[in-house]
């Protein structure tokens, strides 16, 4: 017996409805490459349907760009859902927060007349990024010399380090004004010992205390038990959307270690970083660029200077957080397929398709060769990933402007063929094809 709605002869009638139902779901959005996949834009588009948008890991190392009309917003800590009126945004327990950066971001939104009152909440369990974390990170990167990770220098690694070492301070500590001074004094003293050992610049307790007390006053109204709020939303059958930061290959466990960030950027991190029960997740949407980019150090098998030069000459692929030019390369189906497996990706959003509009030929890496052997997975050791030789399949380019397409059928046949081919290699369904930064440059497939 097949339910009526699934019977082939009925499907054309119900298809639009199925499309609507597809959206009534709790969804985790993850980057399936090395970050900067265009997650901010896709979140913004999907937020139209969702009720609650949650950040659950990472910190101000993320840079999510959203274009609304003529205005461009770059969000680092605040969920991109904030740009849609009436949507509730949660910053979950798994995020590390620099209170001063967060206040700066709030000021930026205020200037652009985005009202956050009553719809932004910050977990009281989220850990703080402190000025000594930044200093420690700068020292650690300096010591590594040419082997440095190339971090965003936002203090992310040392803040997560303190969390795991159980010496961190949390939002709950920040707004507990009675005890803040004593807690800070102890931590600054301990951190300064380490900084001195590294030959770095000690931080002043007085300056930190003043800066953080000021930020605490501003942030206090936003601090809440977001885990409970999330559960209340689930009980009320609200739709929840998780805004992943970074990408699968920057994941502390699944990424190209040690050239990674310090959080779980994969879908499991959305649950632990917010209190979301895994069995309440309906879909995992992987966001991928139609090619690949990476910023910072570390192995990148399909890196190619020609495609990099072309994209940079088009004014594309400069980092939203640090302004660094991103490294660029061909689409890597080996890495992305593995990303789909570890995240449970069942839906895809493919972005930056228009970045390939000019190319006569487009290459896709379908396997790696490592020491003469063909492999279909990403090796564990970064030196091995450095050594792999990509095996490429070549697709004809469409050499047509795609930026004005409104429907899937408007895309050139060669572009559709390319996109369907990579989706097949990853074994996931394309939900969204994105052909530019604007909201209306989005095709639902
Ligand atoms: P979004 O959310 C791209 C990279 C850094 C560095 C490594 C570790 O915008 O996709 P960290 O400061 O996190 O300790 O740096 O991770 N990185 C990102 N690359 N997009 C991001 O975020 C990134 N966040 C961190 O460049 O290689
Ligand atoms: Mg970014």
């Amino acid at each position: 017996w097949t339910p009526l709605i699934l019977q082939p002869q009925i499907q054309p009638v119900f298809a639009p409805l199925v499309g609507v139902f597809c959206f009534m779901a709790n969804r985790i959005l993850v980057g399936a490459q090395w970050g900067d996949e265009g997650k901010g834009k896709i979140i913004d588009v999907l937020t139209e349907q969702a009720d609650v948008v949650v950040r659950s890991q990472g910190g101000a190392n993320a840079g999510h760009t959203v274009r609304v009309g003529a205005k461009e917003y770059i969000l680092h800590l605040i969920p991109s859902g904030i740009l849609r009126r009436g949507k509730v945004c949660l910053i979950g327990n798994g995020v590390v927060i620099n209170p001063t950066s967060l206040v700066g971001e709030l000021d930026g939104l205020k200037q652009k007349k985005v009202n956050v009152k009553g719809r932004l909440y910050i977990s009281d369990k989220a850990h703080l990024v402190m000025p000594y974390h930044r200093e420690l990170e700068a020292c650690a990167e300096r010591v590594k010399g040419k082997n440095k990770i190339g971090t965003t220098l936002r203090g992310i690694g040392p803040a997560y380090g303190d969390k795991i070492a159980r010496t961190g301070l949390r939002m709950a500590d920040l707004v507990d004004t009675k005890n803040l001074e004593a807690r800070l004094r102890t931590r600054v003293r301990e951190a300064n010992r380490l900084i001195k050992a590294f030959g770095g610049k000690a931080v002043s307790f007085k300056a930190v205390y003043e800066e953080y007390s000021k930020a605490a006053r501003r942030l206090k109204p936003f601090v809440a038990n977001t885990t409970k709020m999330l559960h209340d939303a689930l009980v009320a059958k609200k739709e929840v959307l998780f805004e992943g930061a970074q990408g699968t290959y920057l994941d502390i466990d699944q990424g190209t270690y040690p050239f990674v960030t310090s959080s779980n950027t994969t879908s499991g991190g959305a649950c632990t970083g917010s209190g979301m029960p895994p069995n309440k997740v309906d879909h995992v949407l992987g966001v991928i660029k139609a090619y690949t980019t990476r910023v910072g150090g570390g192995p990148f098998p399909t890196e190619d200077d020609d495609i990099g030069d072309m994209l940079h000459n088009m004014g594309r692929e400069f980092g939203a957080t640090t302004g660094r030019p991103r490294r660029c390369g061909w689409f890597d189906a080996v890495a992305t397929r593995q990303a789909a497996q570890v995240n449970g990706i069942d839906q895809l959003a493919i972005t930056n398709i228009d970045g390939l509009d000019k190319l006569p030929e487009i290459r896709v890496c379908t396997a790696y060769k490592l020491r003469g052997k063909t492999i279909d997975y990403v090796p564990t050791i970064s030196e091995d990933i450095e050594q792999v030789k990509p095996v490429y399949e070549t697709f004809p380019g469409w050499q047509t402007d795609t930026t004005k397409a409104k429907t899937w059928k408007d895309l050139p046949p060669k572009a559709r063929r390319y996109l369907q081919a990579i989706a097949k290699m990853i074994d996931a369904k394309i939900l969204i094809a994105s052909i530019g930064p604007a909201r209306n440059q989005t095709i639902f497939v």
Side-chain angles (χ1 to χ4, degrees):
W1 181 81
T2 317
L4 187 66
I5 199 163
L6 295 181
Q7 285 175 15
Q9 66 276 27
I10 300 289
Q11 272 204 359
V13 182
F14 278 97
L17 274 180
V18 173
V20 172
F21 284 129
C22 276
F23 280 103
M24 294 175 55
N26 299 320
R27 193 180 270 121
I28 296 175
L29 178 142
V30 289
Q33 293 159 323
W34 274 278
D36 300 328
E37 295 91 349
K39 298 179 292 292
K41 175 199 159 156
I42 303 298
I43 284 284
D44 173 65
V45 168
L46 291 174
T47 304
E48 197 175 358
Q49 323 282 333
D51 301 299
V52 183
V53 183
V54 186
R55 269 286 302 272
S56 51
Q57 45 71 228
N61 48 350
H64 295 176
T65 309
V66 182
R67 173 127 10 130
V68 183
K71 282 191 191 158
E72 189 177 82
Y73 301 82
I74 298 179
L75 295 154
H76 300 284
L77 278 162
I78 299 175
S80 304
I82 206 74
L83 303 176
R84 297 258 184 194
R85 216 173 291 152
K87 308 291 174 168
V88 172
C89 291
L90 306 180
I91 301 181
N93 54 277
V95 177
V96 287
I97 298 171
N98 178 324
T100 309
S101 310
L102 184 51
V103 168
E105 221 168 303
L106 285 170
D107 288 342
L109 287 175
K110 199 172 173 185
Q111 248 173 32
K112 290 186 171 169
K113 305 219 169 2
V114 178
N115 183 15
V116 303
K117 203 158 168 241
R119 55 193 203 92
L120 174 69
Y121 299 95
I122 308 160
S123 170
D124 49 4
K125 294 189 194 122
H127 277 249
L128 303 180
V129 179
M130 306 296 297
Y132 49 78
H133 290 139
R134 283 182 168 224
E135 181 58 27
L136 281 167
E137 180 169 20
C139 292
E141 283 283 86
R142 217 165 26 237
V143 167
K144 286 196 180 89
K146 70 173 180 25
N147 294 323
K148 69 177 185 179
I149 299 168
T151 71
T152 59
L153 295 174
R154 297 292 186 275
I156 304 296
Y160 277 115
D162 266 356
K163 173 178 175 175
I164 302 301
R166 294 158 295 181
T167 48
L169 295 170
R170 305 190 290 177
M171 284 306 288
D173 300 314
L174 181 75
V175 296
D176 174 10
T177 36
K178 274 207 302 292
N179 297 308
L180 180 65
E181 187 175 349
R183 286 199 178 107
L184 268 184
R185 202 180 283 280
T186 314
R187 283 303 297 131
V188 168
R189 195 183 323 119
E190 287 165 357
N192 275 341
R193 264 191 224 134
L194 264 178
I195 292 174
K196 275 190 200 135
F198 262 128
K201 193 167 170 282
V203 301
S204 138
F205 162 75
K206 192 166 164 273
V208 177
Y209 181 58
E210 271 168 20
E211 178 189 335
Y212 278 57
S213 311
K214 190 171 162 220
R217 284 192 291 278
R218 177 83 187 275
L219 296 178
K220 193 163 185 166
F222 299 101
V223 178
N225 180 343
T226 52
T227 309
K228 179 163 183 345
M229 297 177 86
L230 176 63
H231 283 263
D232 291 345
L234 292 173
V235 169
K237 297 266 182 279
K238 301 282 185 203
E239 287 179 47
V240 187
L241 180 59
F242 290 85
E243 175 169 355
Q246 291 82 49
T248 300
Y249 289 95
L250 293 171
D251 182 284
I252 185 76
D253 287 288
Q254 301 297 338
T256 50
Y257 192 89
F259 299 97
V260 292
T261 191
S262 298
S263 65
N264 282 119
T265 62
T266 43
S267 53
C271 294
T272 54
S274 66
M276 176 74 172
N279 61 351
K280 292 280 190 289
V281 179
D282 299 300
H283 293 289
V284 180
L285 180 128
V287 186
I288 54 176
K289 270 185 183 151
Y291 45 91
T292 312
T293 64
R294 164 161 215 176
V295 59
F300 180 1
T302 61
E303 186 166 18
D304 181 291
D305 286 345
D306 290 343
I307 180 172
D309 290 346
M310 178 198 78
L311 290 162
H312 293 144
N313 286 335
M314 288 162 86
R316 304 171 80 108
E317 301 307 346
F318 293 92
T321 299
T322 56
R324 292 178 287 182
R326 296 180 184 135
R327 299 157 64 192
C328 303
W330 301 108
F331 187 79
D332 184 340
V334 177
T336 329
R337 191 188 311 121
Q338 187 169 309
Q341 290 163 355
V342 301
N343 288 292
I345 291 171
D346 60 336
Q347 299 176 329
L348 286 174
I350 310 184
T351 68
N352 288 271
I353 296 163
D354 52 311
L356 300 177
D357 281 354
K358 294 202 173 107
L359 287 173
E361 273 188 347
I362 301 168
R363 297 160 90 185
V364 173
C365 166
T366 55
Y368 296 149
K369 280 229 184 237
L370 179 64
R371 293 185 277 275
K373 227 177 98 189
T374 304
I375 58 169
D376 64 353
Y377 58 88
V378 181
T380 298
I381 300 170
S382 73
E383 285 82 354
D384 281 348
I385 313 174
E386 290 282 4
Q387 270 195 40
V388 300
K389 296 264 170 305
V391 177
Y392 285 113
E393 186 175 332
T394 302
F395 289 80
W398 43 91
Q399 297 188 287
T400 313
D401 177 12
T402 57
T403 57
K404 292 179 189 70
K406 293 281 167 248
T407 67
W408 178 248
K409 291 253 162 65
D410 293 341
L411 287 175
K414 283 178 184 153
R416 280 184 268 152
R417 210 172 308 137
Y418 172 75
L419 298 172
Q420 289 297 13
I422 62 177
K424 192 159 173 231
M425 291 176 201
I426 302 167
D427 198 20
K429 203 177 150 297
I430 307 173
L431 183 72
I432 293 172
S434 171
I435 38 154
R439 280 177 176 169
N440 66 2
Q441 289 175 303
T442 311
I443 296 170
F444 284 90
V445 180

